[in-house]
């Protein structure tokens, strides 16, 4: 029998049970190289992984079966690079999250994960041309200064941010709420091709995972977690965009909002957030200067 490495065992475990690192840590503390996991009782696995006894039994059966599957080869064939939590390219800023991803599945230019500064640019799925116009003032200075633009590959403002960055010759990362075998939403099919060929898409889910509505709030914490600063163009008062914004504020990130016309429902989120501590932004040089000031202070 071929001896499995920790990397292979971790891939197999995560394929069967794609949980964040905080859920996996009790098991790793007891079995740090995962050599004992396949021989553990269902009771032990239930206790360490916080599973019901029945789920633990099914996990053990599936895990032992997947151990013999050539996952590394399958991922390589599909140009997917798994980046586990102990990989040198794993973003250190994600490790500060309460629930860091156990593995990031990357497709595209993984060197983007070694860059110095990241700014997330997000907004409403039904964003208007106001978002596009705002980005024409905000993105060029960021791109010119080598800042990587992060967004969520959703339709609307996210797609605008990725496409505009590409058109400017910049670097952009798309964070997915599903695995790489799915392109969602369908309207962004061409954008996926651009991102995978020229930029980078990231997911914390194995490639076979399909979109589910509860995965997108999980994705949003990575959008805010990866960035040094976050920009919101348009958003309704209660929306996933505002939740991401709040997550960024709670984690000490600089948050910038584009002030919007009071006649638009998509201005309610940014305008309200300006009252709660976000900074108004109308030009990317404001963010660049803040970055330079921060570097000087360090």
């Amino acid at each position: 029998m071929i001896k499995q490495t920790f990397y292979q065992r971790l891939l197999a475990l995560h394929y069967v049970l794609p949980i964040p690192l905080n859920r996996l840590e009790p098991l790793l503390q007891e079995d740090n190289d995962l050599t004992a996991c396949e021989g553990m009782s269902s009771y032990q696995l239930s206790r360490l992984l916080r599973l019901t006894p029945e789920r633990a039994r099914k996990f053990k059966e599936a895990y032992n079966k997947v151990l013999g599957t050539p996952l590394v080869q399958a991922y390589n064939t599909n140009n997917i690079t798994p980046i586990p939590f102990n990989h040198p390219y794993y973003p250190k800023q994600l490790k500060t999250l309460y629930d860091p991803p156990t593995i990031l599945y990357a497709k595209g230019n993984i060197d983007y994960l070694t860059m110095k500064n990241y700014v997330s640019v997000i907004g409403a799925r039904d964003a208007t041309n106001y978002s596009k116009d705002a980005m024409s003032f905000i993105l060029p200075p960021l791109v010119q200064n080598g800042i990587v633009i992060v967004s969520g590959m959703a339709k609307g403002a996210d797609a605008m941010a990725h496409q505009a960055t590409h058109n400017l010759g910049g670097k952009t990362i798309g964070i997915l709420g599903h695995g790489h075998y799915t392109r969602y939403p369908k309207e962004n099919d061409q954008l996926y091709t651009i991102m995978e060929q020229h930029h980078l898409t990231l997911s914390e889910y194995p490639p076979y995972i399909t979109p589910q509505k509860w995965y997108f709030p999980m994705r949003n914490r990575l959008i805010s977690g990866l960035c040094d600063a976050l920009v919101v163009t348009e958003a309704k008062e209660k929306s996933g965009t505002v939740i991401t914004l709040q997550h960024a504020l709670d984690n000490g990130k600089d948050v910038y909002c584009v002030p919007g016309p009071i006649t638009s429902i998509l201005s309610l989120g940014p305008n309200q957030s300006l009252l709660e501590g976000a900074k108004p932004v109308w030009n990317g040089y404001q963010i660049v200067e803040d970055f330079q000031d921060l570097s000087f202070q360090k």
Side-chain angles (χ1 to χ4, degrees):
M1 180 177 178
I2 299 173
K3 183 176 176 60
Q4 303 284 341
T5 66
F6 172 76
Y7 178 62
Q8 291 168 320
R9 291 190 290 269
L10 184 65
L11 287 181
L13 188 154
H14 198 252
Y15 186 90
V16 175
L17 191 67
I19 54 176
L21 188 57
N22 64 315
R23 285 277 311 279
L24 187 60
E25 280 176 341
L27 175 63
L28 292 175
Q29 288 171 3
E30 191 153 323
D31 180 22
N32 62 1
D33 58 2
L34 297 179
T35 53
C37 181
E38 59 190 293
M40 286 184 177
S41 68
S42 296
Y43 170 77
Q44 287 176 294
L45 293 170
S46 172
R47 175 176 59 85
L48 293 170
L49 294 173
R50 287 185 284 164
L51 301 172
T52 64
E54 178 62 15
R55 282 199 68 196
R57 182 187 65 79
K58 290 181 177 179
F59 161 75
K60 181 178 178 180
E61 291 177 359
Y63 173 64
N64 288 343
K65 183 177 180 180
V66 172
L67 272 175
T69 302
L71 290 176
V72 175
Q73 181 180 338
Y75 294 154
N76 287 343
T77 299
N78 288 276
N79 299 314
I80 297 168
T81 303
I83 300 175
F85 65 90
N86 59 352
H87 192 285
Y89 277 23
Y90 188 97
K92 62 182 183 300
Q93 58 269 41
L94 292 184
K95 291 184 178 180
T96 65
L97 296 174
Y98 164 73
D99 50 356
T102 297
I103 298 174
L104 289 170
Y105 297 88
K107 195 165 187 178
N109 191 341
I110 64 171
D111 287 340
Y112 282 15
L113 296 176
T114 66
M115 301 297 162
K116 184 178 180 182
N117 294 124
Y118 302 85
V119 170
S120 294
V121 179
I122 60 173
R125 284 179 170 80
D126 52 350
T128 68
N129 282 333
Y130 186 69
S131 282
K132 187 175 292 187
D133 292 342
M135 290 180 197
S136 71
F137 287 93
I138 294 169
L139 290 177
L142 302 182
V143 168
Q144 290 163 15
N145 283 272
I147 294 170
V148 181
I149 305 303
V150 180
S151 200
M153 288 298 292
K155 64 181 181 180
D158 289 14
M160 292 177 187
H162 292 307
Q163 187 66 59
T165 302
H166 173 73
N167 293 345
L168 290 165
K171 299 176 175 65
T172 181
I173 297 175
I175 311 293
L176 311 183
H178 49 81
H180 282 289
Y181 292 161
T182 301
R183 289 186 167 188
Y184 177 85
K186 292 182 179 179
E187 298 96 314
N188 286 351
D189 185 73
Q190 186 176 358
L191 179 60
Y192 271 93
T193 299
I194 291 171
M195 293 292 292
E196 291 169 2
Q197 291 181 355
H198 302 283
H199 303 286
L200 178 66
T201 56
L202 287 177
S203 174
E204 66 177 314
Y205 301 107
Y208 70 88
I209 295 289
T210 56
Q212 303 293 337
K213 63 180 181 180
W214 55 88
Y215 291 156
F216 292 97
M218 296 293 286
R219 174 208 60 182
N220 291 348
R221 87 190 191 290
L222 300 187
I223 293 174
S224 64
L226 183 59
C227 72
D228 302 292
L230 182 138
V231 175
V232 176
T233 57
E234 293 178 292
K236 293 177 182 176
E237 189 172 12
K238 295 181 179 180
S239 63
T241 299
V242 172
I243 293 172
T244 307
L245 181 159
Q246 192 59 54
H247 189 279
L249 282 175
D250 292 344
N251 284 275
K253 304 296 179 74
D254 284 332
V255 174
Y256 300 83
C257 288
V258 177
I262 61 175
T263 53
S264 172
I265 192 173
L266 295 178
S267 298
L268 292 177
N271 289 351
Q272 181 62 37
S273 298
L274 291 171
L275 292 176
E276 298 171 357
K279 302 178 182 180
V281 65
W282 52 87
N283 191 298
Y285 287 112
Q286 296 168 260
I287 303 171
V288 171
E289 288 173 4
D290 284 351
F291 275 12
Q292 291 172 342
D293 289 344
L294 183 61
S295 297
F296 180 76
Q297 291 171 13
K298 290 180 179 179

